[in-house]
Amino acid sequence: MWLFTIAIALVLAACGGGDAGTSSSPAGEDATADPAESASASADATDDGETAVVTEEQIQIGASGSNSWLPIRIAAENGYFADAGLPNLQFVQIGSAPDAANALAAGEIQFAGLAFERAVLSTQQGRHVQCVMSIQDTPPSSVVVAADSGIEPGDWESLAGKTIGVVQGGWSEIVPKYLMQVAGLDVDSVQWTSTPNTGAMLSALQGGQIDGFSGIEPAQRQAIAEGYAEMFFDLEDPENLEEFWPDPFQATCLQAQAEYASANPEVVAAVREAIVRALGEIHSDPSIAVDFAADAAPDVDRSVWEESIAALEVTWSEDGELSEEAIANVQELLVDFGILEEALPYEEAVFTGS
């Protein structure tokens, strides 16, 4: 059993601008109904070949600077939202996940990229928020340790008595604690300390204040590239995912207030279309995302972005679908962790287009 209680947050990282194209997949039997199928106004061509405008209204999608949200940023940068009929949609970078969640709940933005549980927590607090599409099916997390630590990679028992940095409440904290419990070990045998962002993680490891950290891209790849860290456990390794993590799963999603989504299904469909297009192009050619990130952070060696994007590609959804089984699995884990008091029915947690 998972016995500890945590809150929810996301870590910040850098990203920037790039290039992309088209791809989508039909919903599976257990997936949500595609809003595009229930909203015929989404990006239909006019008689003269131009894309029909879904709405002229200004729409904002907010998220932190985490690389998790690169598909959204690429869609915005390359005009995919305009192509889908939303000429006045903007991506707004927000300082933290809690700030993005608050802005969404207050109606200051129409969509937010957040960890799945944010939608459930908002709903349980009286503001009904739903996931409208998947961004990441699995957490973008891995654990690194100091290169001179002598800790054997993958030996969770060897972390006993060590100090590991985490971003409290997010996948950064959930992943290592979950895996320790899977291994039958006492979570409290490790000293978990707050390293609230990428800079704090890197400086604490370099300065010897921690023995390792559970990072979200690209912190761990940067530390390894700079020579002072080595990989301890990589959840973004497909073999590790298959062996140790629930499948299917839902890590992050695009979220909207339920009332807004219900009143604007054609907008939801167009937003989804644009992001699925970006996801498809990234999976077809990951260098699109590498270029995007590298252009924004030229002081970081390009190899860091190449390895980070290769890892993130494992987590990013292929088609944006939110299956009932994936939603059930993530809610079961979060309830066991004490993050959620109880699970929501699928139709409350996910916008199905009706």
Side-chain angles (χ1 to χ4, degrees), residues 237-262:
D237 182 321
E239 291 186 5
N240 287 335
L241 273 172
E242 183 177 357
E243 183 174 357
F244 297 106
W245 200 253
D247 178 51
F249 200 76
Q250 186 56 53
T252 69
C253 57
L254 190 68
Q255 301 177 15
Q257 287 196 45
E259 184 178 3
Y260 177 86
S262 180

Side-chain angles (χ1 to χ4, degrees), residues 106-164:
E108 297 169 0
I109 56 178
Q110 288 69 46
F111 299 91
L114 293 163
F116 166 80
E117 55 267 39
R118 286 283 179 186
V120 180
L121 289 169
S122 292
T123 297
Q124 292 176 339
Q125 292 164 4
R127 294 175 173 174
H128 192 185
V129 171
Q130 293 177 307
C131 292
V132 301
M133 69 172 294
S134 173
I135 302 298
Q136 288 170 301
D137 295 333
T138 54
S141 185
S142 55
V143 180
V144 298
V145 294
D148 59 357
S149 68
I151 298 171
E152 186 69 23
D155 180 8
W156 292 97
E157 195 169 2
S158 68
L159 295 185
K162 304 297 184 182
T163 300
I164 303 298

Side-chain angles (χ1 to χ4, degrees), residues 14-15 23 37 51 78 101 120 147 202 258 260 262-263 297 314:
C15 59
S23 176
E37 295 178 356
T51 300
N78 292 308
V120 180
L202 299 180
Y260 177 86
S262 180
V314 175

